[in-house]
Amino acid sequence: MNLTDDPGNWFKSRNNGTPVSIIKRGERVDFKIDGCCTNTRHTVTLLIKPRNSKLIVDQDQSKSGTISATFDVPGVYVFICKVHPYMTGIVAVKDANGNIPDVTADSLPFIGHLGAASLPANTVLSVLRPVAPTDTDKAAKWDIRKSTDQIIPKTPGVGEIWINTQFERVAKQRDEKGTPKPGTITVVDAKTFAVEREINGLTAGGKWNNPHNMWANFTLDTVYNTNWFGTWINKIDRQTGKILQSIDVGEAPTHIVTIPTPGSSERGILTVPLSAENNFVKVEDGVDGLKIIDEEPTGEGRNHPHGHWLTCGRGDRMVVPNVFKGMGVAGSISILDAFTGNVLKEFVQDSDDPLRSVIQMPLAVGECHVNGISKAYVANAVSGYVTVIDVDAMQILKNIPVTVTPDGQTGKDILHTLQVPIQTPVSSGERFVATAILSLTTVPNAKSNSTDYVVIIDTATDEIVAYLPTPGGTHGVNWGAKLGGGYYAYVTSQFANVLAIIDPDPNNDGKGPDAAVVGTILLTNGSKDAGVTDGTGGQGIKPLPITHDGWIQPTVELAGTGVLSAEVENWISQLTPQQKNPVDSGH
Ligand SMILES: [Cu+2]
């Protein structure tokens, strides 16, 4: 099998061109990670196997090259990549009669939560959304909506919403070797909730592959974009969508956050974790354009850092999820000095420590001050918990189980839920956290009555106050200004073609149990050759203006100075005093 950058076909069998390789017992599969099919490094990690199999396949760091495995027991083997955890490959091993044995509940506990002891292999594969190599498969398994499904919120937002529609196919969009690579950026007008335009990578000189996450500069005339299956970031002119520059930063860059610190010489510098390496880089956007000015490790040893955040307001500390440290799924959460890059504290997974046991493949962080304390919320992919950290005291406060089995149990890991919590930002008004829960299946759960959902966490109690159903493949969430005050949580879903909009507090009483999905916006725009992938792949999401404390004020300060475009001036004029300076949220 080749590991690839192709959505739904990330492990591609050379025998049948699909992510399901069918072999006989005792046969070997070579997993190839090379320039044929991917622009970065990966792992080949065996997650699910038949009960009696002794096979172990895993690596302690991201790799290129060939990884081989010989299959000892008939049955279904599920592989993932620990760098890009939704990359899914299947090896189905036939028994002596040529049949693939059923998948049992002790191999995959999820099945037990459906009330079954075992299920046919084909039944299990038919519900796995990441296994969708063709447009026909995607149309069947993914959550593809029509224009009649669209719901426009009654209250408009302010500004623009930038969305990485990472799986959208673009004809002739190729890497430097000429291999097709997916992904666009879809821009939604927050006033009308219409798709304003789409940006593709045709002019990126091959440095565009699975565009994953974005941030903007303070004047909001530039958007920076990462390419998670490549090694580059792009600098994009916001108004024209023109790609101004693309530079190499290292393997599998994830998210971008600028340093907001007032008075700092590093204000505006980009920080970018590299998920197939151990470091983050600092990138300056100066007179000569983008330039790497520093590179520092995000922990001790191997790290594979992903979606970080800087402390709201001061920006003096950076909280980084290190997805995996070696063999297995143990990760860590680091607190760094944002200026020196020094690691001040690293919480490493420890099965004997009740607070650190759940730090298994942490993927993303949200951070804001809550009642004067800098608090971080970290989503752990494998354990299904959100870890709450006091960033000032550098202490873990609590772990909140956010994933749910089909029969409604919480506190169970990925093998029971087949769900992964991903982005988990704190609202700019600091009252709520919205955590995106991605389901790997088409099976609903008994709490949200949907496959995918967002949980709303009250930051005063750190308890879940709402489970809100969202479209298939929910991955990204971020907060943008609601016209007249307050914030919307904008939600992306990688296996759907829509943006969901959540109002965390429609009756404005400061409490979240009335949180509701108030909008569903189609991200399709009829792009030629995109087919069923039009508007799909929603991952990184950046509402502009950037509403969090520390990032909104520099833009507001520039209003009326002639530096901002007329469009940005207009956005800023629509913000309430509270939205312009969310430092004292008054809750
Ligand atoms: Cu990968």
Side-chain angles (χ1 to χ4, degrees):
M1 299 182 107
N2 284 106
L3 275 73
T4 84
D5 305 333
D6 301 341
N9 207 4
W10 290 286
F11 286 69
K12 187 175 181 180
S13 164
R14 262 162 293 162
N15 289 337
N16 61 22
T18 79
V20 183
S21 184
I22 300 166
I23 62 167
K24 292 183 208 140
R25 177 183 186 165
E27 287 187 328
R28 192 185 79 200
V29 174
D30 293 338
F31 298 91
K32 299 214 167 198
I33 305 170
D34 59 41
C36 136
C37 310
T38 182
N39 293 143
T40 191
R41 298 194 293 241
H42 304 274
T43 76
V44 175
T45 299
L46 180 56
L47 183 69
I48 298 162
K49 63 183 177 182
R51 187 165 60 105
N52 296 324
S53 171
K54 295 193 167 54
L55 185 63
I56 293 170
V57 186
D58 193 19
Q59 300 83 48
D60 62 354
Q61 60 183 313
S62 70
K63 296 278 186 190
S64 51
T66 300
I67 291 148
S68 298
T70 302
F71 290 80
D72 55 353
V73 172
V76 173
Y77 297 73
V78 179
F79 291 86
I80 62 158
C81 164
K82 291 192 290 183
V83 177
H84 312 89
Y86 54 69
M87 292 178 68
T88 305
I90 310 290
V91 176
V93 181
K94 293 194 274 194
D95 63 19
N97 299 322
N99 299 318
I100 299 163
D102 288 357
V103 184
T104 62
D106 48 22
S107 165
L108 177 58
F110 176 82
I111 289 171
H113 296 284
L114 300 171
S118 66
L119 287 173
N122 276 334
T123 304
V124 174
L125 296 188
S126 72
V127 302
L128 290 180
R129 278 196 170 129
V131 178
T134 67
D135 274 21
T136 306
D137 298 320
K138 290 177 176 73
K141 283 186 176 177
W142 290 8
D143 187 0
I144 305 300
R145 309 278 178 107
K146 300 185 187 69
S147 57
T148 46
D149 298 322
Q150 187 154 265
I151 299 166
I152 308 288
K154 290 194 185 72
T155 306
V158 175
E160 284 178 345
I161 307 145
W162 283 58
I163 297 149
N164 286 114
T165 31
Q166 190 180 313
F167 296 163
E168 181 164 333
R169 185 167 57 234
V170 179
K172 299 196 177 83
Q173 182 169 286
R174 302 173 195 278
D175 68 4
E176 287 157 313
K177 289 192 175 122
T179 308
K181 298 297 174 187
T184 61
I185 296 170
T186 301
V187 183
V188 171
D189 181 341
K191 187 178 178 184
T192 61
F193 295 112
V195 173
E196 195 176 286
R197 62 214 151 87
E198 180 179 288
I199 296 158
N200 60 43
L202 289 173
T203 61
K207 296 181 174 179
W208 184 279
N209 179 354
N210 281 275
H212 183 65
N213 218 289
M214 299 162 291
W215 203 268
N217 67 354
F218 294 125
T219 57
L220 305 183
D221 58 15
T222 303
V223 174
Y224 308 103
N225 174 64
T226 62
N227 295 276
W228 194 24
F229 286 67
T231 57
W232 325 283
I233 62 170
N234 318 104
K235 174 179 174 178
I236 301 167
D237 182 88
R238 185 191 60 78
Q239 278 186 288
T240 64
K242 191 176 173 208
I243 298 171
L244 302 171
Q245 191 186 2
S246 302
I247 68 162
D248 213 304
V249 293
E251 298 289 332
T254 57
H255 295 203
I256 299 174
V257 182
T258 56
I259 294 177
T261 314
S264 166
S265 62
E266 298 212 339
R267 192 182 214 194
I269 300 261
L270 283 57
T271 59
V272 190
L274 304 171
S275 60
E277 303 204 26
N278 304 313
N279 303 344
F280 81 100
V281 291
K282 282 185 179 173
V283 177
E284 185 180 53
D285 186 8
V287 284
D288 302 325
L290 299 175
K291 193 174 76 179
I292 295 174
I293 57 164
D294 196 9
E295 176 160 4
E296 301 286 344
T298 56
E300 202 171 310
R302 298 193 168 121
N303 297 311
H304 308 93
H306 197 105
H308 65 320
W309 202 283
L310 271 65
T311 43
C312 281
R314 294 192 300 268
D316 56 340
R317 288 181 176 177
M318 184 160 100
V319 185
V320 185
N322 294 312
V323 181
F324 65 100
K325 299 287 291 178
M327 301 292 279
V329 297
S332 75
I333 302 163
S334 287
I335 300 174
L336 276 64
D337 181 305
F339 311 121
T340 64
N342 290 341
V343 177
L344 305 173
K345 178 84 181 177
E346 183 175 10
F347 301 101
V348 181
Q349 197 272 347
D350 179 351
S351 299
D352 296 327
D353 179 330
L355 286 175
R356 288 184 290 150
S357 61
V358 303
I359 305 174
Q360 298 170 349
M361 290 181 62
L363 285 179
V365 177
E367 201 283 338
C368 211
H369 39 67
V370 176
N371 296 325
I373 298 168
S374 292
K375 277 171 91 174
Y377 294 78
V378 187
N380 296 287
V382 168
S383 64
Y385 280 78
V386 167
T387 298
V388 187
I389 295 174
D390 179 332
V391 181
D392 299 325
M394 297 197 286
Q395 284 175 348
I396 296 177
L397 300 174
K398 185 177 182 176
N399 291 297
I400 307 168
V402 294
T403 54
V404 180
T405 62
D407 54 348
Q409 296 183 41
T410 62
K412 301 284 189 183
D413 72 13
I414 189 173
L415 295 178
H416 291 260
T417 63
L418 294 179
Q419 292 171 349
V420 177
I422 310 185
Q423 293 185 20
T424 182
V426 185
S427 71
S428 311
E430 77 184 42
R431 277 292 292 125
F432 304 108
V433 174
T435 309
I437 315 293
L438 178 146
S439 174
L440 298 170
T441 75
T442 55
V443 178
N445 71 79
K447 272 204 186 289
S448 70
N449 297 310
S450 59
T451 59
D452 296 69
Y453 56 100
V454 164
V455 296
I456 302 294
I457 297 168
D458 184 321
T459 58
T461 59
D462 289 331
E463 302 279 352
I464 295 172
V465 291
Y467 292 82
L468 302 173
T470 50
T474 294
H475 183 124
V477 52
N478 215 330
W479 298 88
K482 187 169 108 178
L483 187 65
Y487 300 93
Y488 280 137
Y490 293 110
V491 181
T492 59
S493 295
Q494 65 184 45
F495 299 133
N497 56 353
V498 287
L499 170 76
I501 303 172
I502 288 172
D503 188 332
D505 185 17
N507 68 5
N508 205 26
D509 67 350
K511 299 188 176 74
D514 58 327
V517 178
V518 296
T520 305
I521 306 301
L522 219 57
L523 297 177
T524 56
N525 64 342
S527 289
K528 194 170 166 287
D529 300 310
V532 73
T533 68
D534 192 6
T536 66
Q539 291 177 48
I541 176 159
K542 199 69 207 147
L544 302 178
I546 301 171
T547 54
H548 282 92
D549 178 31
W551 289 275
I552 184 64
Q553 294 94 338
T555 307
V556 170
E557 283 162 18
L558 292 169
T561 66
V563 173
L564 303 181
S565 68
E567 190 176 26
V568 174
E569 289 280 0
N570 181 40
W571 296 346
I572 298 302
S573 73
Q574 295 173 53
L575 299 177
T576 66
Q578 184 65 58
Q579 288 171 328
K580 286 179 178 174
N581 187 24
V583 61
D584 297 312
S585 286
H587 290 290

